[in-house]
Amino acid sequence: MTISLRHRDRVTWLTAAPLWPLETAGAGVSARLSEPAILRFAGDDFMAQATGTLAERPDDLSRFVARQESWQAEAAGWQAVPGSAPLTLYQPIHNRFYLAVATLVCQRPGLPDRGLNRVSGDRVAMLLRRLVARPGVVFDPSNPAARAEQAWVGDVQSGRWVTLADPALPGAGEERLPMFPLPYRDGDRSRRLHAAVIPVARANGYATAPGETAARASAADSVADPLGDPRVAELGEGVLGGLAMLAAVTTPPGLSGDALSAQRRQTRSALVLALLDIGAFLTRERPDIAAVLRGGSSSALSLADLALVGRLTGTALAGGYTAAQAIVRALDREAALAAGDHADSLVQAVLGTLPNFAAIAAFANGLRNGPPALIDLIRPTLTDPRAARVRDAAAQAAQAVAASAAFGDGEEAALALLAELLILDTLLAVEVPDLAAALPGGPAPSAADADLFAAFGASLAAPMTWGDALAEARSHAPEILAGTAAATDLVRLDPDAGQIAAAAAAFFGGLEAALTPSLAARPLPAAPPAAVTAGDDTPDPVYVLRTIHERDACKGIHPPTLSAPSRPLRLAGFFDANAPVRPLSIEMPARTSIADFRKAPRNVTIRLSRELRSQISRVRNATLDEPLEDQLGGGSFDLGVICSLSIPIITICALILLMIIVQLLNIVFWWLPYFMFCFPVRRS
C-alpha cells in the first residue's frame, strides 16, 4: 500500500508519550493510544508533582493515571484493563486535581512532536463534551452507537449544552479550555505534552445547565462505528470533514479586492483537496470503484457500490465536471497539489470552472449530505475492518523500517523491524489469538490459519524465520520499547540495511492476503441491538474530553484536528459520599483560664450599623450600649459600633454550641456514633 504524499505530514493526537510503551504492550493499543490520558494528583502542589516527575523520570507518569477510587480505597496508576464504568473525578475540596494530557505528533516514523506556530494562529485546547442517549436506544456511555455528544456553549454563568451533529468537529461557539505545554527530555531528544486542568469544581454548573435533547443527532451523523472500524472515523474526520466546512461557506462580509480574491482561492483549493481526499480513500480501500470512476466496467459491482458511484457521477458543479470527473482529475494531479501548487489554472483543470462561494456550498452540501449521506453510501462498501487494521499497521511498519534503513545502518533497521513486529504482534493477538500459541514451535494451527502460519514460517535470513523474529520481539519487549536494546543481542542475522528493508516490504506487503482466510473463519461480532428507552437525559451526567488543534492558516482548507474521546467520566459533587477527604486540623486553646483569655488578642472585628445594633439590643439582657455608655461617661449615643472579638473564645463557643445541637438532634437521627471519634494524645 502506498501512502499519499499529502498525508505524510498529517498531525494526530495520541495519549501522553510516556504512556506509549504501556499502551502498546496490551490489547488496548487500538483504543486508548489515541485518547487523552487523565492524570490524578493528591495535593495542592499538583503542578510541582507533574513537572518534577517529567524532569526526573517521565516513565513514572503512569503512577498518576486516574482510576476508580473512593475515600475507603484511594488509588491511582495505569491499568492494563480499566473498568468499563465512567471514571469519577473529585473536586479540589476533596484534595484531588486532574490534568488531561495528550501529545500532538506528526504521522511520520518516530512520531515526532508537532510544533505550534502561535504567530500564524496555531493553537490547542481541550473540549468538555456531555454524553446523552440517542433517540430510541438505551443510554450506554461506553457504546459510541448509543450516545451523542453535546458541546458547552457560552460562559460559566449562562452556558448551555448544544447537541452536535458531527462530534469530530467543534461546535459553533464551543468553549475551549486552555492547554499549556509540559516539556521534558526523552533520552537525547526534547518532547512536549499538552495539558489542561479539568474543571471539576464546575460540576454543579455543568449538571444544572439547560441542554437540547439528542433528537436531531441521528446515527448517520456519527462517525463512530460499533464494530470499531478505524476507516469510518478517518472517513468522517479527515476525508468528509472538509466537505462539511465547505457546505456552510458563504461570501465573507466586508471583504473586497485582494482579500476577497485570496479567500476565493483558498476556498477553491479546499474543495480540490477534499475531492482528492475522497479519491485517495477510494483508491486505497476500493480500487475497483476507483477504476469505474475512470471509465472501467461496473458489471462486477454490488448494488451498494453502484449507489456510491451514482452519487459521485450524479453530483455536478455548476458549469463544470461531475464529482467523479473532478476526483479523477485531482488524482492525476496529486503530485502538483501535494507540492502546494494551487494556481487558478490547476484548480480550473480539476473543477472545470472557477466557482463562487454559493456554488461551492451547494456542491459540497449535495455531495456530502445526500440524501442519503455520503458516509452511509461508503460505509457498506468497505471490506472487513479487521483486515484494514492489519493492512494499515503492516504498511506503517514497512514505511518505518524503510525510513530507518535509509537514515541508519543495518542495526538500526533491525531494531526498527523488531519494534514494528512487536506492535503488529499486539494487533494479531486481538484479531487472530490462535496465532500466538502456534508461533513459534507451538501446536499446529487450524486450517484457516495455515496461510498465515506459512508466512511467518518463511525465512527472513538464514537461519532466522519471521516467527523467530516475532519471538525475539516478544521476549525483549521492555528493552525494545525503552530504546535500550541492541540489535546484535536480539537478532541472529547480519544483513545490511537495504536487505532488511526489502525483506520487510515483501513480508508486510503480503500479510493482508495471508490473513484473509483466518479472518473469514472468525465472523465479526454483531453490533449491539438498539432497545427503546423513555428519554435522552440521564440523572447523573456523563462527560468525555477531546483535545483540539486549530490552524488559522488552514481555515477553510483543513478541519481542526480532534482527538478521540477520552474514557467516559463523571464529575463528583461537593458532598459526594465516596469522595476522598482533605485532612484538616484545628488546634483548640490549650489553656482556658480567665487570665489566659485576657491575654488573647481580639483580632476579629464586626461592624454593626445603628439599626442592627438596636435590633440586637432588644434580645439581650445587657445591651451593647451599656459598655460604651460607661466608657463615654454616661449618656446615650445613636451610632453604629465596631466590636472586637477573640478567636479562641469564638472557637470554644462554636464547639460547645455544636455539641449541644448535635446531642439534641441525636434523638431524631441517631447519628452520634458516626459524628465524632476521640483519641487520647500524650500531653506535651
Side-chain angles (χ1 to χ4, degrees):
M1 181 188 81
T2 59
I3 297 179
S4 168
L5 292 174
R6 287 193 58 250
H7 298 293
R8 183 176 56 192
D9 290 334
R10 284 178 59 181
V11 299
T12 189
W13 286 101
L14 296 178
T15 194
L19 303 179
W20 291 355
L22 297 173
E23 299 292 2
T24 55
V29 61
S30 61
R32 293 194 298 173
L33 190 63
S34 58
E35 300 175 1
I38 300 175
L39 305 182
R40 164 270 207 196
F41 298 91
D44 297 313
D45 61 340
F46 65 98
M47 284 304 304
Q49 295 181 50
T51 55
T53 301
L54 287 173
E56 297 174 7
R57 287 186 56 86
D59 293 345
D60 284 351
L61 203 68
S62 61
R63 297 188 295 109
F64 298 100
V65 175
R67 59 198 299 180
Q68 206 67 266
E69 64 172 338
S70 68
W71 67 270
Q72 296 171 310
E74 298 185 5
W78 185 85
Q79 292 175 286
V81 183
S84 58
L87 178 68
T88 301
L89 307 187
Y90 298 102
Q91 298 199 16
I93 192 64
H94 305 139
N95 204 34
R96 290 295 181 268
F97 301 86
Y98 299 90
L99 294 180
V101 292
T103 307
L104 186 66
V105 300
C106 298
Q107 290 183 318
R108 288 185 292 176
L111 297 176
D113 288 350
R114 169 63 158 82
L116 297 180
N117 187 349
R118 299 189 183 276
V119 176
S120 63
D122 272 21
R123 57 189 181 275
V124 295
M126 185 180 73
L127 308 177
L128 180 69
R129 301 278 181 80
R130 185 172 74 168
L131 301 180
V132 294
R134 288 192 174 278
V137 298
V138 173
F139 178 63
D140 181 2
S142 63
N143 181 10
R147 72 190 194 197
E149 292 185 18
Q150 292 184 331
W152 178 262
V153 177
D155 55 22
V156 178
Q157 290 76 23
S158 59
R160 69 188 190 281
W161 293 104
V162 177
T163 303
L164 298 170
D166 189 348
L169 294 174
E174 182 172 4
E175 179 187 43
R176 269 79 164 168
L177 299 172
M179 300 192 80
F180 51 89
L182 291 176
Y184 69 99
R185 298 289 300 179
D186 182 14
D188 295 332
R189 62 174 175 169
S190 299
R191 298 213 71 143
R192 177 193 312 177
L193 301 181
H194 296 282
V197 178
I198 303 176
V200 187
R202 291 169 57 181
N204 185 64
Y206 286 137
T208 58
E212 304 173 350
T213 64
R216 64 185 183 88
S218 67
D221 291 325
S222 175
V223 299
D225 189 279
L227 300 180
D229 192 340
R231 296 166 299 173
V232 176
E234 177 191 354
L235 183 66
E237 297 175 15
V239 178
L240 300 182
L243 288 180
M245 300 180 66
L246 291 169
V249 71
T250 57
T251 303
L255 285 185
S256 60
D258 293 341
L260 181 61
S261 298
Q263 187 68 29
R264 285 195 184 115
R265 285 194 297 272
Q266 188 179 43
T267 306
R268 291 164 184 155
S269 297
L271 178 59
V272 171
L273 295 178
L275 293 171
L276 180 59
D277 279 337
I278 298 174
F281 184 86
L282 292 176
T283 300
R284 185 177 79 244
E285 301 296 340
R286 291 301 306 272
D288 52 343
I289 293 181
V292 172
L293 298 183
R294 292 183 176 275
S297 173
S298 61
S299 59
L301 297 184
S302 66
L303 292 177
D305 299 340
L306 291 174
L308 173 59
V309 172
R311 167 64 61 80
L312 297 178
T313 57
T315 305
L317 190 60
Y321 301 135
T322 66
Q325 293 171 319
I327 287 171
V328 171
R329 286 170 168 78
L331 289 172
D332 291 341
R333 296 162 176 80
E334 180 175 8
L337 293 171
D341 181 6
H342 300 164
D344 285 348
S345 58
L346 180 61
V347 172
Q348 187 169 3
V350 175
L351 302 179
T353 185
L354 294 177
N356 57 28
F357 293 112
I360 290 175
F363 174 74
N365 184 66
L367 180 59
R368 180 179 186 269
N369 297 325
L374 186 59
I375 191 172
D376 292 330
L377 288 174
I378 297 179
R379 193 194 311 250
T381 69
L382 300 177
T383 55
D384 193 327
R386 299 170 296 174
R389 279 197 290 269
V390 173
R391 182 195 61 212
D392 290 345
Q396 293 172 10
Q399 184 186 31
V401 175
S404 298
F407 297 102
D409 54 16
E411 179 171 338
E412 186 172 346
L415 282 174
L417 176 61
L418 290 171
E420 295 302 328
L421 279 174
L422 184 63
I423 296 174
L424 183 65
D425 180 43
T426 303
L427 190 56
L428 290 175
V430 176
E431 308 299 356
V432 193
D434 299 343
L435 185 69
L439 287 175
S446 64
D449 297 330
D451 291 346
L452 189 58
F453 186 76
F456 278 94
S459 175
L460 169 57
M464 196 174 203
T465 67
W466 284 99
D468 296 331
L470 187 68
E472 293 282 0
R474 287 176 185 167
S475 60
H476 295 87
E479 304 99 294
I480 294 173
L481 292 174
T484 59
T488 53
D489 299 332
L490 301 182
V491 295
R492 300 186 299 274
L493 52 89
D494 190 25
D496 59 26
Q499 288 178 308
I500 293 179
F507 173 74
F508 289 121
L511 189 61
E512 183 183 5
L515 183 66
T516 300
S518 298
L519 295 178
R522 296 172 173 83
L524 276 169
V532 176
T533 186
D536 289 322
D537 297 328
T538 57
D540 194 4
V542 183
Y543 307 90
V544 293
L545 302 170
R546 289 181 184 262
T547 49
I548 180 174
H549 172 231
E550 299 175 283
R551 290 168 281 182
D552 287 346
C554 297
K555 187 176 294 183
I557 294 180
H558 193 282
T561 302
L562 269 69
S563 71
S566 70
R567 175 182 175 182
L569 52 93
R570 288 190 170 95
L571 307 182
F574 190 89
F575 292 108
D576 191 287
N578 292 317
V581 293
R582 178 187 288 269
L584 299 174
S585 177
I586 300 176
E587 189 76 18
M588 298 296 290
R591 301 179 183 275
T592 57
S593 66
I594 295 177
D596 291 316
F597 281 137
R598 188 176 292 120
K599 300 176 184 177
R602 291 180 288 276
N603 55 342
V604 176
T605 58
I606 300 178
R607 297 174 180 267
L608 300 178
S609 66
R610 178 183 59 83
E611 181 180 358
L612 182 58
R613 178 180 60 82
S614 300
Q615 292 171 343
I616 293 178
S617 298
R618 295 172 190 167
V619 298
R620 294 184 47 165
N621 294 328
T623 68
L624 290 175
D625 300 348
E626 295 173 356
L628 289 174
E629 289 173 355
D630 293 340
Q631 296 175 26
L632 294 173
S636 63
F637 70 99
D638 195 24
L639 301 172
V641 296
I642 299 178
C643 299
S644 297
L645 307 177
S646 172
I647 278 287
I649 297 178
I650 291 176
T651 307
I652 292 176
C653 291
L655 178 63
I656 294 173
L657 288 174
L658 175 65
M659 295 304 300
I660 293 173
I661 295 173
V662 169
Q663 290 279 5
L664 289 174
L665 293 180
N666 184 58
I667 301 172
V668 179
F669 296 105
W670 295 96
W671 59 19
L672 200 58
Y674 311 102
F675 172 70
M676 178 183 293
F677 294 94
C678 297
F679 301 94
V681 295
R682 178 176 298 177
R683 185 169 55 186
S684 59

